[in-house]
């Protein structure tokens, strides 16, 4: 389930790799009667994080809306900008009634560098609906584990130019906070739009 790509020769000396990861496939989606009896992987769960202003934000704050969840970091050279740019282009094609039912969180796995205005403004620069969240390492690790997201710090965190390899998946949770579907890094905008329009109807 792990795929890896290496950046171009323009990369700085630190090897900046990202893990553009294909998703966990739901067992049920594979078909076959026995699969339907297998327990589905549980994706999602409670979280307690902080926004750029240091205000606590939890999963419960999003009840009643569909919630899109993405893990990354603002210094990401390629994967996050690509994923958020694509997501933004999809959100731009939803109408107001659909957007009103939706919230998006960008969970930074890099609290050392992502906080304050930088965290607040990074997501909203892609789309006003995207809220940046982060928190203490233990809280980040708990929510990442709950979603099946993974990351790995690559480089020396005493310098300011370390990279973080991370999975790139948009998780879609329903109004009750339960998992609906997920979009892998290579999902097309058309497929994402169609799926979102189907669940937001
Ligand atoms: Ni990234």
């Amino acid at each position: 389930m792990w795929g890896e790509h290496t950046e171009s020769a323009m990369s700085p000396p630190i090897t900046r790799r990202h893990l553009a990861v294909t998703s966990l496939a739901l067992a049920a989606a594979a078909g076959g009667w026995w699969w339907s009896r297998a327990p589905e992987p549980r994706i999602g769960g409670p979280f307690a994080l902080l926004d750029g202003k240091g205000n606590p934000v939890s999963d419960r704050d999003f009840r009643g809306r569909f919630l899109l969840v993405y893990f990354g970091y603002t210094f990401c050279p390629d994967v996050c900008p690509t994923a958020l740019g694509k997501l933004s282009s999809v959100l731009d094609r939803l109408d107001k009634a659909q957007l009103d039912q939706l919230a998006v969180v960008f969970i930074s796995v890099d609290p050392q560098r992502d906080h304050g205005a930088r965290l607040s403004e990074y997501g909203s620069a892609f789309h006003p609906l995207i809220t940046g969240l982060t928190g203490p390492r233990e809280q980040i690790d708990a929510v990442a584990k709950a979603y099946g997201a993974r990351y790995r710090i690559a480089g020396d965190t005493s310098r300011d130019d370390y990279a973080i390899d991370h999975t790139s998946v948009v998780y879609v949770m329903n109004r009750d906070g339960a998992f609906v579907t997920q979009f892998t890094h290579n999902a097309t905008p058309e497929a994402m739009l169609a799926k979102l329009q189907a669940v937001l109807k």
Side-chain angles (χ1 to χ4, degrees), residues 100-182:
D100 284 347
Q101 303 177 62
L102 201 56
V104 186
V105 292
F106 172 82
I107 299 178
S108 170
V109 297
D110 188 18
Q112 181 176 326
R113 292 179 297 186
D114 291 345
H115 45 71
R118 184 175 181 93
L119 178 63
S120 298
E121 292 165 10
Y122 182 78
S124 60
F126 286 95
H127 193 280
L129 213 56
I130 303 176
T131 299
L133 300 178
T134 192
R137 182 63 67 194
E138 315 82 72
Q139 311 282 67
I140 293 169
D141 287 348
V143 64
K145 183 179 180 187
Y147 278 81
R150 298 181 67 185
Y151 69 91
R152 180 176 60 210
I153 296 171
D156 180 355
T157 56
S158 68
R159 295 162 50 100
D160 64 3
D161 61 351
Y162 59 89
I164 302 178
D165 302 331
H166 65 92
T167 52
S168 180
V169 177
V170 177
Y171 304 92
V172 182
M173 314 304 286
N174 73 13
R175 296 181 179 91
D176 300 316
F179 176 76
V180 177
T181 190
Q182 61 190 358

Side-chain angles (χ1 to χ4, degrees), residues 18 70-83 106 109 122 164-168 185:
H18 268 82
Y70 184 84
F71 293 84
Y73 69 115
T74 72
F75 285 82
C76 184
D78 50 8
V79 172
C80 290
T82 300
F106 172 82
V109 297
Y122 182 78
I164 302 178
D165 302 331
H166 65 92
T167 52
S168 180
H185 190 70

